[in-house]
Amino acid sequence: MIQVPIKEAVVVASGLLLLVLLLATCGDRGGDVASLRPLVPAQAGGWQAVDGGELYDRESIFSYIDGHAEVYLAYGMKGCLARRYTGPSGEADIALDVFEMASPADAYGVASYDRDGEPVAIGHDGRFRYGWLSFWKGAFFVSVTAESESAAARDAVLELGRSVAALITDDGATPPLVGELPPDGLDAGSVRFLHSQQILNTHLWLGEGEVLGLAPDTSAALAHYLRDGWSAHLLLVDYPDRGRAERAAAAIAGRLLAGPAGGGPALGQDGRWHGVQQRGGRLVVVIGAANDELAAALLAEASAPIGGG
Amino acid sequence: MSRRSTVITRRDFVRVGSGLAAAGLLGAHRPGSVAAAEPARSRVVLVRAQDALDAAGAPDGASLHRMLNEAVTALLETPSPSDAWKRLIRPADVVGIKTNVWRNLATPPGLEEAIRAEVVGAGVAPGEVAVDDRGVLDNPVFKRATAFINVRPMRTHHWAGLGTCLKNMIMFVPRPADYHGDACASLGAIWKLPELEGKVRLNILVMLTPQFHGVGPHSFSPEFVWPYKGLIVGIDPVAVDATGARIIEARRREHFGEERPISPPPHHIQVADTRYGLGVSDPQRIDLVRLGFMEGALI
């Protein structure tokens, strides 16, 4: 039996532990944006990476993205890998940004922030518009942007996107709350998932102030409906406790209905129909329905399942 | 014995409204002066020039300098540009030129240089003028500035709806994100900070290639800028921004072929008027002076 002094044994064991942790981290390509860095392709089409990529955290992201970082922070961004590629003569750069979010639901949420564009079969909800490809997969939101459009740049953007999508092994799932939106008349391209009033404001303006008390521990799904030519917005919010949901219901009812929540739809000063229901931790709000029948139907259908706390 | 200042300060503007301030301080004779109850009006100059951009679409410094001088002369109704600049800036002033370095749409260096040259031409020592954006809190000239000139390009913005002259001062607070709530409604409060209040002498909204829509993490696509070739110049930041906002809204209607309101609504402009009293947001009370070509002006 080989005798190993205790001190050396501790050093060896510590080293082995570190190695195991490192291998585990590197092997989990769906769990750490830093581990993707050495795997991301150095070229795509005629475009060549200018460096190995930069990593940004929740603080340093502000130095990279001016004025837009809070979108990612609102979805619990953990880190961002940014890599630039230079193209053939006459072609503009391509920027690759891989954001690691708090969860697959948050990656879905970021992707739902901007749903314009032509669908492409890359990752989940892949979209291409104006030289910009975006998709989500696992807990990652991936953006590939050609700073000027051309056919060659489009091909390179899509090639790079496919390569990065293949590196992400976790698939992720759509947030369950989104699945609770009534399907009849749902405009799938309008569905947003979010946790913040600021994000909601960019999609639907409910007036000044942060009336709904949205926070990282609340989840909201917003969608536009069109039934028989009549339109409305539906907002579902899950709060972790009934009290917060009640307070939000009272506040939004005061704004939209000029009265308490819980009754049927009411005609607002804007000539549209609004409705507010709260059951347990779930808030259901119909905003701007063209008629009371549509508002009542959406309230009833969305209020059927009880979610949240 | 007190002397009446011939320099327009923010405090003067806030007290009486920009149009009235200009009239009073410039010694203009307006018989039967406006009754106190009458809402203030603001004067804004839109200047456009075909040669503001060169054949490659790059800003032309000489053209921008000329446009700037035409604008301030018309704004202050002076006989010459130098008279206008001397109304705006004292030789003893320490001047911070608050620019914007956003990578995709920065304030053109040629315009920064033109402003600097005119400030120095008004008698300010060259060492007492600085141009800065993100370093304003640490810039020694900005820290002791007695006057600011605010210059930035107009663009859409995720939190404020629009990146405006009002918003350009957000770098004067250590945590800009604190002002992002409620679509940046409280941006006007920044203009009330002691280091800024009463010191912003001129606002220049660069409309050379304004951005009317944003996409992606970097909020930019060449698809959503167009060669407007203009500057909007005024003492009143609210009136300047309100005028720029009308142009962006019109361009969005034109481009998208439908009403596509700016999202979130840039209500910080109106709030700067109604809550903070920084100027006039109602187009009916903005006297717009138009210089240069007006084809496709959209307002």
Side-chain angles (χ1 to χ4, degrees):
Chain A
M1 184 176 173
I2 300 171
Q3 294 292 318
V4 180
I6 291 175
K7 189 174 175 184
E8 279 78 355
V10 169
V11 170
V12 169
S14 301
L16 282 172
L17 181 61
L18 278 173
L19 183 61
V20 167
L21 286 173
L22 184 62
L23 288 172
T25 304
C26 290
D28 181 12
R29 286 181 287 174
D32 180 2
V33 74
S35 67
L36 283 175
R37 178 158 63 170
L39 306 173
V40 166
Q43 63 180 45
W47 274 253
Q48 193 74 34
V50 298
D51 54 30
E54 294 290 330
L55 291 169
Y56 298 93
D57 60 20
R58 291 177 62 84
E59 291 297 324
S60 59
I61 190 67
F62 287 100
S63 68
Y64 177 57
I65 298 176
D66 178 18
H68 196 52
E70 285 99 332
V71 171
Y72 303 96
L73 297 178
Y75 288 98
M77 189 201 90
K78 293 180 175 177
C80 171
L81 167 64
R83 197 171 191 186
R84 292 188 72 79
Y85 296 77
T86 56
S89 176
E91 295 280 3
D93 286 2
I94 288 175
L96 167 68
D97 299 299
V98 184
F99 297 89
E100 183 184 5
M101 314 310 299
S103 67
D106 289 306
Y108 171 92
V110 172
S112 76
Y113 185 81
D114 188 336
R115 289 183 174 276
D116 284 347
E118 155 200 355
V120 291
I122 299 176
H124 300 307
D125 297 322
R127 292 282 189 280
F128 184 85
R129 63 296 215 188
Y130 316 115
W132 176 42
L133 167 71
S134 67
F135 63 89
W136 70 278
K137 191 175 180 189
F140 294 96
F141 173 73
V142 180
S143 161
V144 191
T145 309
E147 293 184 346
S148 186
E149 279 193 86
S150 71
R154 175 192 166 100
D155 290 345
V157 163
L158 296 178
E159 180 183 327
L160 188 54
R162 283 189 197 95
S163 300
V164 174
L167 295 172
I168 302 168
T169 52
D170 292 344
D171 233 16
T174 299
L177 184 63
V178 169
E180 294 192 36
L181 290 165
D184 183 18
L186 173 66
D187 173 2
S190 74
V191 176
R192 324 284 180 181
F193 178 74
L194 51 98
H195 308 285
S196 119
Q197 180 87 40
Q198 281 178 263
I199 299 289
L200 178 62
N201 283 346
T202 65
H203 303 304
L204 184 68
W205 181 249
L206 293 177
E208 291 184 21
E210 306 205 352
V211 66
L212 288 169
L214 298 180
D217 62 352
T218 59
S219 293
L222 172 71
H224 182 254
Y225 283 80
L226 194 63
R227 292 183 181 175
D228 301 324
W230 304 107
S231 68
H233 277 95
L234 175 64
L235 177 69
L236 307 181
V237 188
D238 274 348
Y239 294 87
D241 62 76
R242 181 190 183 104
R244 284 171 63 185
E246 285 175 347
R247 286 192 291 278
I252 191 67
R255 175 161 298 181
L256 294 176
L257 313 177
L267 186 62
Q269 289 186 338
D270 58 358
R272 311 283 289 187
W273 291 83
H274 312 288
V276 179
Q277 295 276 359
Q278 173 259 320
R279 295 175 66 190
R282 169 70 57 82
L283 176 67
V284 179
V285 187
V286 174
I287 305 131
N291 59 47
D292 58 345
E293 291 87 356
L294 175 56
L298 285 172
L299 273 182
E301 293 168 34
S303 298
I306 302 175
Chain B
M1 177 180 138
S2 64
R3 289 182 57 200
R4 190 175 184 185
S5 170
T6 57
V7 172
I8 299 168
T9 67
R10 167 62 44 199
R11 191 164 286 109
D12 294 323
F13 167 74
V14 168
R15 190 170 56 238
V16 295
S18 68
L20 301 180
L25 291 167
L26 294 171
H29 297 290
R30 303 280 170 93
S33 62
V34 183
E38 185 169 322
R41 300 188 66 83
S42 277
R43 184 181 180 86
V44 163
V45 176
L46 167 64
V47 56
R48 298 175 73 209
Q50 292 285 11
D51 63 356
L53 302 173
D54 66 18
D60 183 280
S63 176
L64 292 178
H65 199 154
R66 189 187 67 246
M67 292 164 68
L68 177 66
N69 278 344
E70 288 173 2
V72 294
T73 305
L75 179 70
L76 298 179
E77 298 178 282
T78 57
S80 70
S82 63
D83 289 324
W85 284 104
K86 284 173 184 167
R87 289 285 176 90
L88 292 166
I89 301 293
R90 298 182 184 94
D93 273 325
V94 178
V95 182
I97 300 169
K98 174 61 178 68
T99 187
N100 195 288
V101 298
W102 191 55
R103 189 167 69 93
N104 296 305
L105 197 60
T107 303
L111 185 56
E112 294 170 351
E113 281 310 306
I115 298 167
R116 180 196 283 272
E118 293 299 337
V119 168
V120 171
V124 177
E128 301 290 71
V129 187
V131 180
D132 208 334
D133 178 9
R134 296 178 185 175
V136 295
L137 291 177
D138 299 318
N139 187 309
V141 171
F142 275 70
K143 285 164 82 170
R144 55 190 176 83
T146 58
F148 294 105
I149 293 175
N150 184 21
V151 55
R152 67 155 302 156
M154 174 62 116
R155 67 176 177 100
T156 50
H157 190 277
H158 281 282
W159 301 127
L162 288 172
T164 55
C165 281
L166 285 162
K167 187 176 180 305
N168 204 37
M169 293 311 191
I170 201 167
M171 298 315 295
F172 281 86
V173 296
R175 287 171 44 91
D178 290 348
Y179 288 82
H180 284 170
D182 198 10
C184 300
S186 59
L187 285 172
I190 297 170
W191 290 63
K192 297 287 193 180
L193 296 173
E195 52 269 45
L196 282 179
E197 187 171 19
K199 295 181 181 175
V200 184
R201 304 278 176 80
L202 189 67
N203 292 281
I204 304 160
L205 193 57
V206 180
M207 301 287 289
L208 295 176
T209 56
Q211 181 187 342
F212 61 93
H213 186 59
V215 293
H218 304 281
S219 307
F220 185 81
S221 165
E223 179 81 9
F224 299 120
V225 298
W226 87 109
Y228 187 78
K229 303 178 180 178
L231 302 174
I232 299 175
V233 181
I235 293 163
D236 173 354
V238 182
V240 166
D241 289 345
T243 304
R246 288 171 59 205
I247 295 170
I248 296 296
E249 286 164 352
R251 177 60 179 160
R252 287 170 67 89
R253 276 193 295 274
E254 184 178 78
H255 179 87
F256 294 116
E258 61 182 17
E259 280 298 326
R260 186 83 74 96
I262 298 164
S263 179
H267 70 147
H268 68 273
I269 300 171
Q270 188 180 17
V271 173
D273 172 353
T274 57
R275 187 185 304 167
Y276 298 104
L278 293 174
V280 175
S281 61
D282 177 2
Q284 301 302 316
R285 292 194 287 119
I286 297 172
D287 298 320
L288 182 62
V289 179
R290 302 162 192 262
L291 304 175
F293 80 103
M294 284 297 135
E295 182 185 354
L298 299 177
I299 53 171

